[in-house]
Amino acid sequence: MAERLTEILAQIAEQRERFYAELAQAGDGRNLDQVRVRFLGRKAPLAQYFDLIPKVAPEERRLLGKTLNEVRAELTEALEKRRQELSAAHAPEEEIDYTLPGLAPFVGKRHPVLQAMDRIKEIFYGMGFTVEEGPEIEDDYHNFEALNVPPDHPSRDLQDTFYLDGEFLLRTHTSPVQIRTMERYQPPIRMIAPGRCYRKDTPDATHSPVFHQVEGLCVDEGVTFADLKGVVETFAKRLFGPEVRIRFRPSFFPFTEPSAEYDFSCMMCGGKGCRVCKGTGWLEISGAGMVDPAVFRFVGYDPERYTGYAFGMGVERIAMLMYQVDDIRLFYDNDVRFLQQF
């Protein structure tokens, strides 16, 4: 039986040498698969030698089993190494199919609120208004006191904001830009102040703690309420078309006198009444009025010589009307499906 074992080991060594000879000749993955099947497959001679283990003497089984396992592991490792060598040698530097259509890059768009703000600025710029900017972190004087809102004035409760160290706060409107502009320049002044504002509002369909405003100011000799109405009406018609109508309702603001709220006729129903306008036919926009003489005194203007008007509007409210959006929170949810529509 020892002679039989010696013969089997010699055959295994011969198979090993033939494997390496054919492995060296394999030039691609297909040839490698043929070598693998021929020497390591289920019907290969090496696999058949495993069937002889139970048939040899017990003292010879260990040597035969150990030899077969070592040879199989060696051939498997050599086969994988050769496969990696061929893969590295034949790998193309760059695989590009020039017949395929190109991939268009994703191009972002301006946020719908900024699109609305751009349109507002375009209209007022066309009417001779300049665009002025100011800090979002304001001091109490410019945000309240210079606008005729002293520390104990009840209207401050309606503009509760985020306070910082000292006398600083996040501005509640862009009206402080009007004060800063009047401090820098003498009349005539015709300007708008677009920008971001902050208030401690609970988010709902029409309120957000962060929002955008555009406030306007015109100061000169002989400016009247009729001029204010003409500017607001011109703006409305250029933004929503010639069919839109405006109306003014008496109101109160500390920095204007007389003061008014102004509305636009509902664009959804043409003023006939619908769910959006709650059946009234009108949509509230914002407030306006003639600049209070007390404000002129804060900036050193002579109220006996100069008059002026001021107005404001929420940009999100305008955007909601322009794009027929019924919830302000959609502008800030960052849902790409929503934003891609604009």
Side-chain angles (χ1 to χ4, degrees), residues 74-85:
E74 178 187 344
L75 301 189
T76 301
E77 182 180 353
L79 187 71
E80 183 60 29
K81 182 178 180 181
R82 180 59 176 165
R83 190 185 302 277
Q84 294 176 0
E85 292 174 353

Side-chain angles (χ1 to χ4, degrees), residues 248-263:
F248 285 80
R249 295 176 287 105
S251 186
F252 169 80
F253 300 104
F255 35 84
T256 54
E257 181 61 37
S259 302
E261 298 274 357
Y262 63 93
D263 309 326

Side-chain angles (χ1 to χ4, degrees), residues 8-16 46 49 64 67-68 71:
I8 294 174
L9 294 177
Q11 293 176 1
I12 293 174
E14 182 183 354
Q15 288 290 321
R16 178 177 177 277
L46 193 64
Y49 293 141
L64 180 57
T67 301
L68 288 171
V71 172

Side-chain angles (χ1 to χ4, degrees), residues 142-206:
H142 287 92
N143 195 83
F144 290 121
E145 292 191 36
L147 289 164
N148 201 32
V149 185
D152 57 350
H153 200 285
S155 65
R156 287 200 181 201
D157 295 339
L158 302 176
Q159 298 188 32
D160 195 15
T161 185
F162 302 90
Y163 287 86
L164 308 175
D165 293 338
E167 293 295 316
F168 295 98
L169 48 86
L170 297 181
R171 67 183 180 186
T172 61
H173 44 194
T174 58
S175 297
V177 182
Q178 299 177 0
I179 299 298
R180 293 181 178 275
T181 301
M182 288 190 286
E183 289 175 340
R184 290 198 306 269
Y185 306 112
Q186 290 295 311
I189 290 177
R190 182 175 292 183
M191 52 81 69
I192 60 170
R196 189 181 292 109
C197 306
Y198 308 84
R199 295 182 187 178
K200 290 183 180 179
D201 286 338
T202 301
D204 59 26
T206 58

